[in-house]
């Protein structure tokens, strides 16, 4: 994904920031009956050479799993895998001995390292589980597998941009299985979340780029909280940097220098749940 495809008209409040929208209708995905899924990047049967990854960010899948269904036991290695639960209940079981039910507000991170096996099921026989499955490529290989969980309430995230996943060694990051602060990831990817009420705004400031680089990467995603929709995005609405308007399921790639901003405003009539990625 190249930063040259953007125009400053999409970002009038921050003209040096480049934005390239990723509309809901252009995401990959499928309805498998038991699973309804969207893919921001190439995944499974969806392939687009323009969207293979974005820096170390490899997967953003927005999944809905029907009651009493799920992903059977399968393996991963050399990948950082995290789940962000929007609604419902998600059972996680893995070869490290972890077994728990994740609910709204929970963030679960598996650092697969040299290899793990796990399953993810909706054991609830009445309600769909809606969650985002996110993968990032690690900056260090051959690490021992680890597992972490964190919980962030709606109140914590309301009208604030809260860091929920951040690289190991970052400020406030603790390598504890459970605890406060962001979950630790072995990758140069940070994930922030907000529940933005009408008329309110938050901002993300681009950190200093990596050595030898002039820009930092970002990605904004509006979660489909109003329901499954494969058509043009609707529902909750936000505006980025005074120009680009996004609704549920829409996203946008972003590039900015140190100190540049992503200013995100809710221009709709209902709260919008938004994820913001910072990528080295």
């Amino acid at each position: 994904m190249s930063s040259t495809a953007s125009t400053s008209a999409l970002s009038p409040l921050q003209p040096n920031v480049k934005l390239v929208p990723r509309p809901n209708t252009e995401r990959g995905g499928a309805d498998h009956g038991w699973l309804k899924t969207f893919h921001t990047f190439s995944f499974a049967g969806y392939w687009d050479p323009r969207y293979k990854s974005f820096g170390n960010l490899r997967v953003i899948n927005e999944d809905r799993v029907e009651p009493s269904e799920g992903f059977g036991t399968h393996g991963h290695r050399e990948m950082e895998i995290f789940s962000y639960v929007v609604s419902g209940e998600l059972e996680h079981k893995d070869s490290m001995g972890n077994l728990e039910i994740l609910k709204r507000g929970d963030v679960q991170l598996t650092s697969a390292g040299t290899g793990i096996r796990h399953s993810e099921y909706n054991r609830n026989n009445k309600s769909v589980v809606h969650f985002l499955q996110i993968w990032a490529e690690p900056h260090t290989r051959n690490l021992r597998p680890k597992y972490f969980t964190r919980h962030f309430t709606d109140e914590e995230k309301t009208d604030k941009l809260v860091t929920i996943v951040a690289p190991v060694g970052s400020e406030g990051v603790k390598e504890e299985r459970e605890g406060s602060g962001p979950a630790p990831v072995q990758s140069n990817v940070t994930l922030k979340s907000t529940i933005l009420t009408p008329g309110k705004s938050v901002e993300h400031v681009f950190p200093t780029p990596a050595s030898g680089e002039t820009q930092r990467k970002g990605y904004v995603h509006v979660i489909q909280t109003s329901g499954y929709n494969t058509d043009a995005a609707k529902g909750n609405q936000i505006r980025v940097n005074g120009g680009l308007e996004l609704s549920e399921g829409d996203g946008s790639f972003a590039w900015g220098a140190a100190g540049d901003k992503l200013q995100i405003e809710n221009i709709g009539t209902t709260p919008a749940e938004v994820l913001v990625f910072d990528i080295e």
Side-chain angles (χ1 to χ4, degrees):
M1 171 56 60
S2 170
S3 65
T4 60
S6 173
T7 67
S8 60
L10 295 177
S11 182
L13 296 181
Q14 294 282 321
N16 293 325
V17 172
K18 297 181 174 65
L19 300 174
V20 175
R22 183 77 162 115
N24 182 57
T25 52
E26 295 182 9
R27 288 193 290 177
D31 183 349
H32 299 288
W34 67 274
L35 167 68
K36 294 180 175 66
T37 181
F38 291 101
H39 309 312
T40 297
F41 300 103
S42 296
F43 189 87
Y46 168 65
W47 168 254
D48 188 325
R50 298 173 299 170
Y51 303 110
K52 294 185 291 184
S53 61
F54 192 46
N56 287 337
L57 185 59
R58 176 62 188 85
V59 169
I60 306 175
N61 288 350
E62 189 164 358
D63 292 341
R64 289 174 172 82
V65 177
E66 292 294 313
S68 303
E69 298 284 356
F71 301 91
T73 302
H74 57 283
H76 293 282
R77 59 181 295 120
E78 305 301 353
M79 194 65 69
E80 303 292 291
I81 302 165
F82 32 114
S83 299
Y84 178 101
V85 181
V86 181
S87 62
E89 300 178 354
L90 180 69
E91 180 199 82
H92 171 94
K93 183 178 182 181
D94 65 39
S95 55
M96 293 180 282
N98 298 295
L99 173 61
E100 61 185 318
I101 303 293
L102 305 167
K103 300 180 180 181
R104 175 164 177 79
D106 288 337
V107 176
Q108 172 267 323
L109 190 150
T110 299
S111 182
T114 54
I116 59 99
R117 293 180 64 78
H118 73 169
S119 62
E120 294 165 305
Y121 268 92
N122 180 5
R123 297 298 185 189
N124 190 298
N125 61 11
K126 295 181 180 179
S127 301
V128 170
V129 60
H130 176 197
F131 69 106
L132 283 94
Q133 183 180 172
I134 300 159
W135 298 6
E137 296 172 347
H139 52 54
T140 305
R141 300 179 68 85
N142 296 314
L143 294 171
R144 179 170 62 88
K146 293 184 178 181
Y147 177 86
F148 306 94
T149 60
R150 298 290 187 269
H151 181 79
F152 300 90
T153 66
D154 285 3
E155 182 180 9
E156 287 178 89
K157 294 182 285 188
T158 296
D159 299 330
K160 295 180 288 290
L161 192 57
V162 178
T163 301
I164 61 175
V165 175
V168 170
S170 300
E171 182 179 356
V173 175
K174 303 171 186 176
E175 289 193 74
E176 301 171 351
R177 186 190 183 281
E178 300 175 353
S180 60
V185 65
Q186 299 282 352
S187 183
N188 297 317
V189 172
T190 297
L191 174 58
K192 302 179 180 182
S193 175
T194 184
I195 300 171
L196 205 54
T197 58
K200 298 294 185 178
S201 62
V202 294
E203 65 178 33
H204 164 71
V205 180
F206 284 93
T208 301
S211 177
E213 300 291 333
T214 60
Q215 292 181 315
R216 191 94 171 183
K217 299 179 180 69
Y219 191 82
V220 178
H221 176 75
V222 186
I223 298 174
Q224 270 194 353
T225 51
S226 295
Y228 179 70
N229 172 38
T230 59
D231 297 325
K234 58 185 179 180
N236 306 320
Q237 291 181 294
I238 64 169
R239 181 184 292 128
V240 182
N241 288 353
L244 178 62
E245 295 185 3
L246 304 173
S247 293
E248 294 180 33
D250 289 337
S252 179
F253 299 94
W255 293 259
D260 287 339
K261 298 176 181 179
L262 290 174
Q263 296 171 285
I264 301 169
E265 176 190 6
N266 185 330
I267 59 171
T269 58
T270 50
E273 191 162 2
V274 183
L275 299 181
V276 179
F277 294 83
D278 173 70
I279 308 148
E280 189 173 286

